[in-house]
Each structure stands twice: as C-alpha cells, then as structure tokens.
Amino acid sequence: EPEVTQTPSHQVTQMGQEVILRCVPISNHLYFYWYRQILGQKVEFLVSFYNNEISEKSEIFDDQFSVERPDGSNFTLKIRSTKLEDSAMYFCASREFSQPDTEAFFGQGTRLTVV
Amino acid sequence: AQKVTQAQTEISVVEKEDVTLDCVYETRDTTYYLFWYKQPPSGELVFLIRRNSFDEQNEISGRYSWNFQKSTSSFNFTITASQVVDSAVYFCALSEARGSGYSTLTFGKGTMLLVSP
C-alpha cells in the first residue's frame, strides 16, 4: 500500500540552527501539506503546496519557514533559525485531489527537538 | 471560522466496555467534511472515517460506529467492546471547501483513550 514517508523520524538541533525535514508523498498525489503538533496539543495546519507553489499558509508559517519540491519526489520543510518553541512533531500529508472530501494521507511524522 | 471541539481530554475504560468520543464542530459552510484520525503511541496519524455534510446516515465498521447529527453539529465516535489496542489519541477534524478550491483540515485537541486489561 502506498504511503507517505518522512525522514528523519527524530531530529535534535541547537537553537538557531537550520533544519530541513523531508517527505516523500504518494507518487500520484498532487497536493502536499505540512502540519505541526506540539507535544500534547492538537495538530495544526502550517502550509499547503500545489503546482510548485504555496496555495495556503497559516499564521504559524512565518518567514522562518519555507517549503519546496526540489526534485519532483521530495517535499521539504525548512526552518531557517530554529527556536525552542519549534519543538514539535511535524507531519507531512498528501492528497490526490484538492476536493475537501479527499482523504489526506499522513506520514509517520518527524519529531523535532530544539535544545 | 471553523472550529472543532473535543471536550473529553482523556477517557479511561476497562477492556470490553463501550466508549463514545465526542466531537462538536463549528462552520459557516453548508458543504463540509468530517474526519476521525487515530494516533497510536507510535505517533502516526491513521485515517478512520470521512463523512460529508449531506450524509447523516450513521456508519458502522466492525467495532467502530459514528453518529453524525447536523442539528447539534456533532460527529461522535463509539468503540464497542473496547480492546487494549484501541488505546490512542483520537482526533476529529473538519475540512471545508475554500474559494480557491483548496482545503485543509482543522483538528480538535484530541481525546486520549486508555483501555486497560
């Protein structure tokens, strides 16, 4: 069964460092997302991406964040200068179509710990 | 703005008990979709069910059942004869059609279900 894969599963980084989280969406999917879950809290939308550009982003997704699809298979989330409050589980998701009833398939998450 | 409320933070039951997880949502749209996801201790998000706003039929899948009531804006989830493997955090989520054609998921805060032997 096709699945969304994320690497690494856990990343520890020092405050102020840049970090790149990687995702490989399901191959025929066209819509990609990043969500974040701070420990013990709800899952929050960060950004959606289609046709090589951001289609929507939340207030959380400030200038420290960026996304790209560098090679047609990977979908990355970059945090330029990490802060302690960026520590969270980051989920990548992909969907085949944009319609809101289309299931979003989530990866297993990357746990980012900023120290 | 859309909002999903899961008032139950944590529920503890003993194996074989039935348990209902509540979900109440707010939306101004007439067309929307509701989802339930399960997050086991390993951390991944597992899709359980999707329901659109025009279909109020209840659904049963094995030990799982869902009760969608538009009149009360609720989409409750019942596990019958709970098992230890059901222990997880369960998230209710809402998806609306946007003018741009795109949509995202708005999640509730989740309900942690602990099933003890």
Side-chain angles (χ1 to χ4, degrees):
Chain A
E1 186 175 328
E3 59 180 15
V4 176
T5 56
Q6 291 184 242
T7 54
S9 56
H10 190 189
Q11 173 134 15
V12 181
T13 189
Q14 285 200 326
M15 192 168 55
Q17 295 295 305
E18 175 183 286
V19 66
I20 297 176
L21 310 182
R22 302 180 194 280
C23 169
V24 179
I26 294 173
S27 61
N28 64 328
H29 287 190
L30 302 175
Y31 301 86
F32 313 115
Y33 305 82
W34 284 100
Y35 287 81
R36 179 183 81 174
Q37 183 185 28
I38 293 172
L39 186 63
Q41 298 188 24
K42 66 178 177 180
V43 179
E44 300 173 291
F45 168 72
L46 291 178
V47 65
S48 58
F49 191 85
Y50 168 70
N51 200 26
N52 284 320
E53 60 182 28
I54 291 173
S55 50
E56 188 170 357
K57 59 184 180 180
S58 71
E59 294 174 351
I60 302 168
F61 195 87
D62 61 23
D63 292 343
Q64 291 296 315
F65 291 91
S66 63
V67 290
E68 65 174 357
R69 196 144 190 258
D71 58 14
S73 62
N74 288 288
F75 177 51
T76 62
L77 173 69
K78 183 193 291 186
I79 309 175
R80 286 189 186 80
S81 179
T82 50
K83 303 186 282 283
L84 293 176
E85 53 264 39
D86 293 327
S87 295
M89 180 78 95
Y90 288 81
F91 289 102
C92 172
S94 70
R95 298 166 90 166
E96 189 175 2
F97 304 110
S98 69
Q99 285 81 359
D101 65 334
T102 310
E103 178 187 343
F105 289 81
F106 285 82
Q108 78 278 24
T110 292
R111 182 168 297 285
L112 176 65
T113 303
V114 182
V115 297
Chain B
Q2 53 188 354
K3 185 178 174 182
V4 177
T5 302
Q6 295 180 255
Q8 303 150 309
T9 306
E10 186 174 318
I11 300 175
S12 293
V13 299
V14 177
E15 216 170 10
K16 297 185 184 175
E17 282 186 33
D18 298 347
V19 59
T20 295
L21 311 180
D22 298 334
C23 172
V24 174
Y25 61 90
E26 293 178 31
T27 177
R28 293 179 182 175
D29 281 14
T30 54
T31 301
Y32 53 89
Y33 300 83
L34 296 161
F35 298 77
W36 276 93
Y37 283 86
K38 174 181 179 180
Q39 186 178 42
S42 48
E44 72 272 23
L45 285 168
V46 179
F47 167 80
L48 294 178
I49 190 172
R50 166 184 53 243
R51 171 67 78 224
N52 75 56
S53 53
F54 298 107
D55 182 3
E56 286 195 70
Q57 251 188 346
N58 291 331
E59 183 158 338
I60 298 175
S61 175
R63 296 184 296 108
Y64 295 169
S65 62
W66 290 269
N67 184 328
F68 175 34
Q69 297 212 350
K70 262 176 113 166
S71 60
T72 55
S73 297
S74 65
F75 186 44
N76 296 338
F77 172 31
T78 297
I79 301 175
T80 304
S82 58
Q83 300 175 0
V84 173
V85 293
D86 295 327
S87 296
V89 180
Y90 290 85
F91 291 97
C92 180
L94 170 68
S95 179
E96 297 172 318
R98 304 286 178 89
S100 61
Y102 305 112
S103 61
T104 62
L105 290 168
T106 298
F107 285 84
K109 290 187 176 180
T111 297
M112 178 178 287
L113 174 64
L114 299 171
V115 182
S116 54

